[in-house]
Every structure is written in C-alpha cells, then in structure tokens.
C-alpha cells in the first residue's frame, strides 16, 4: 500500500509571500489615492483663493478709478390734502333799536321794522301858534328796515306835549328803502310858551320802533298873529296822510335851543 505524499513547505511559503505582496500593493495604492485626493483639494482651494484675490483687486481698481459717490436720501414731502369744512350759518335777526325819546334822528339798527327821520314837511321848528289853534304836522320818514309799513302801522305819541294828538294810521304802504310822509292832527296848548312833543311809528302789534321825531311850536298870547314860516298852520282837521317820496336825504332832527 502506497503512503500519501506530504506537501512541500516551499509552496506554502510562496503563497504567503504573494498574499503579503498583494496586501502591500493595496496599501500603497490607497496611500497614493489619498495623496492625489489631498493634492486635488489643495489645488481647488488655491484656485478659489486666487480667484477671490483677483476679484478683490479688480474692485479696488474700479473704486480707485471711479469718484466717490455719497448716497443722498431724499426726505419724502407729505402730501397735504385740503379739507373743506362746511359750516351751516344761521341768519341772525337783530331787533330794531327802541329809543326812549327826546331826540330825533336815524336808527342804525338792522331788522324788520325800522325808520329814519328825513325832514319836516310842515310846521318848521318854533312855528308861532295861537292858543287852541289846530294844525297838521307832517314828517318825512324813510323805511330802512326789511319789512314794508302797511296801513296797520300808525304814528303814536311818545313823550312831551301830546297837543291833543291821537294815534294815526298810515293811509298807504311804504316799502323798504322808500320814504313816506306821515301826519298827525294837533291842537296848540291854551297857555303861552314852547310846546314840544315826540312821536314814533308803531307796527301792527302796537310796538314802537325806529327813530323818534318831534313837533315844536311857540304859543303866543291870545289874539297874537300866528306865523308859520315855510309851512302855514291850518284850521280844521285834514286827514292824515302817508305818501311815497323818491330818493330822500336822511338827516338828524334835533330841537333847537
């Protein structure tokens, strides 16, 4: 019977040597690969650094060549939109001024009823009269109010000597801005001396308004001759009148001393 052959030792040695060579070759290959990778990374970093330095140099060159520009901030101007406020203004009615009597002349008040003295039409101031003589005193007045004087308005006594005069209605209407003549029938006092009486217009409600106007006569002794100057004293009792007279000139009536 044959005995098996034993493997020779030199063959095993060659195998291990070959394995060792392969392992060493792999390690060397890995080392070379890592070295190449590091070299490539260093090259990339170097290239990026060079590019950044180039860009920075170009920017410095451009800044040196260009003038320095200082930015200016414009402050926006607010737009103002005008707002219109509408106020409802109610008209103010001013009541006519009420005089306490004693002076003639115009009233500057503004209102529905108002009047201003214009002139004496008959019986000038200090006209001579005999005791008990009847006469008609006529004044010219202007309507400087805003309401017409109707025939419901009248001439009414205010103060002083009434000389038997009574409230006398107007016979015609006087429109605002127009003038009218108003009259009252009077009787001279029975005693000698100066008689002075003040009168005033009243509206339909009996309220006096506007300027006051007066009549002034001088009563002489019984049997004396009456002189009237421009106007003549009349006997009897003619009807009271109020007539329209265009474009009057307003004056102030003040008794002479």
């Amino acid at each position: 019977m044959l005995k098996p052959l034993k493997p020779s030792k030199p063959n095993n040695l060659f195998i291990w040597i070959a394995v060792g060579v392969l392992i060493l070759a792999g390690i060397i290959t890995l080392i070379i690969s890592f070295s190449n990778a590091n070299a490539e990374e260093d090259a990339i970093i170097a290239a990026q650094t060079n590019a950044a330095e180039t860009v920075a140099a170009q920017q410095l060159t451009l800044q040196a060549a260009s003038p320095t520009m200082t930015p200016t901030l414009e402050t926006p101007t607010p737009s103002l939109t005008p707002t219109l406020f509408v106020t409802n203004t109610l008209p103010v009615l001013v009541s006519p001024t009420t005089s306490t009597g004693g002076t003639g002349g115009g009233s500057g008040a503004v209102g529905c009823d108002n009047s201003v003295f214009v002139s004496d039409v008959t019986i000038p101031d200090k006209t001579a009269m005999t005791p008990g003589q009847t006469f008609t005193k006529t004044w010219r007045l202007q309507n400087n109010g805003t309401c017409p004087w109707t025939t419901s308005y009248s001439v009414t006594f205010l103060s002083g000597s009434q000389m038997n005069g009574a409230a006398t209605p107007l016979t015609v209407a006087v429109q605002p801005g127009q003038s009218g003549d108003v009259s009252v029938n009077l009787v001279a006092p029975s005693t000698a001396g100066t008689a002075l009486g003040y009168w005033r217009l009243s509206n339909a409600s009996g309220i006096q308004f506007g300027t006051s106007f007066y009549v002034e006569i001088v009563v002489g002794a019984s049997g004396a001759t009456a002189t009237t100057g421009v106007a003549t004293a009349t006997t009897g009792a003619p009807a009271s009148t109020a007539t329209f007279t265009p474009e009057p000139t307003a004056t102030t009536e003040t008794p002479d001393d």
Side-chain angles (χ1 to χ4, degrees), residues 3-13 15:
K3 293 181 181 180
L5 295 177
K6 293 181 180 180
S8 61
K9 292 181 179 180
N11 291 334
N12 292 335
L13 179 60
I15 292 172

Side-chain angles (χ1 to χ4, degrees), residues 80-134:
L80 299 179
T81 303
T83 302
L84 179 62
F85 295 94
V86 179
T87 303
N88 294 326
T89 303
L90 298 178
V92 179
L93 297 180
V94 181
S95 301
T97 302
T98 302
S99 172
T100 57
T103 59
S107 170
V110 177
C112 175
D113 292 324
N114 204 4
S115 67
V116 62
F117 171 80
V118 177
S119 63
D120 290 310
V121 178
T122 65
I123 315 300
D125 294 347
K126 301 185 184 300
T127 296
M129 294 281 178
T130 58
Q133 182 177 347
T134 60

Side-chain angles (χ1 to χ4, degrees), residues 1 22 76:
M1 187 175 180
L22 291 175

Side-chain angles (χ1 to χ4, degrees), residues 2-247:
L2 295 177
K3 293 181 181 180
L5 295 177
K6 293 181 180 180
S8 61
K9 292 181 179 180
N11 291 334
N12 292 335
L13 179 60
F14 286 125
I15 292 172
W16 285 110
I17 291 173
V19 171
V21 171
L22 291 175
I23 292 172
L24 181 61
I27 293 172
I28 293 172
T29 302
L30 290 175
I31 292 173
I32 293 172
S33 298
F34 281 118
S35 297
N36 292 335
N38 291 333
E40 291 178 358
E41 184 177 356
D42 292 339
I44 293 173
I45 293 173
Q48 291 177 347
T49 302
N50 292 334
E53 291 177 352
T54 301
V55 172
Q58 291 177 351
Q59 289 180 348
L60 292 175
T61 303
L62 291 176
Q63 290 178 357
S66 301
T68 302
M69 302 295 292
T70 302
T72 302
L73 297 179
E74 295 184 359
T75 303
T77 303
S79 177
L80 299 179
T81 303
T83 302
L84 179 62
F85 295 94
V86 179
T87 303
N88 294 326
T89 303
L90 298 178
V92 179
L93 297 180
V94 181
S95 301
T97 302
T98 302
S99 172
T100 57
T103 59
S107 170
V110 177
C112 175
D113 292 324
N114 204 4
S115 67
V116 62
F117 171 80
V118 177
S119 63
D120 290 310
V121 178
T122 65
I123 315 300
D125 294 347
K126 301 185 184 300
T127 296
M129 294 281 178
T130 58
Q133 182 177 347
T134 60
F135 62 97
T136 300
K137 172 65 180 181
T138 301
W139 301 271
R140 182 161 296 161
L141 306 176
Q142 183 184 30
N143 183 349
N144 66 335
T146 59
C147 297
W149 302 341
T150 66
T151 54
S152 298
Y153 287 51
S154 59
V155 183
T156 55
F157 177 71
L158 180 62
S159 63
S161 177
Q162 191 168 354
M163 304 181 209
N164 291 342
T168 306
L170 276 63
T171 58
V172 295
V174 180
Q175 299 299 321
Q178 295 181 349
S179 294
D181 293 346
V182 296
S183 302
V184 176
N185 295 325
L186 302 172
V187 179
S190 58
T191 57
T194 298
L196 179 66
Y198 288 88
W199 296 75
R200 205 174 187 192
L201 289 179
S202 294
N203 59 22
S205 299
I207 300 174
Q208 291 186 332
F209 65 88
T211 184
S212 61
F213 39 92
Y214 66 88
V215 54
E216 182 182 20
I217 62 173
V218 178
V219 180
S222 179
T225 302
T227 58
T228 60
V230 177
T232 303
T234 60
T235 58
S240 301
T241 60
T243 59
F244 167 67
T245 303
E247 299 181 357

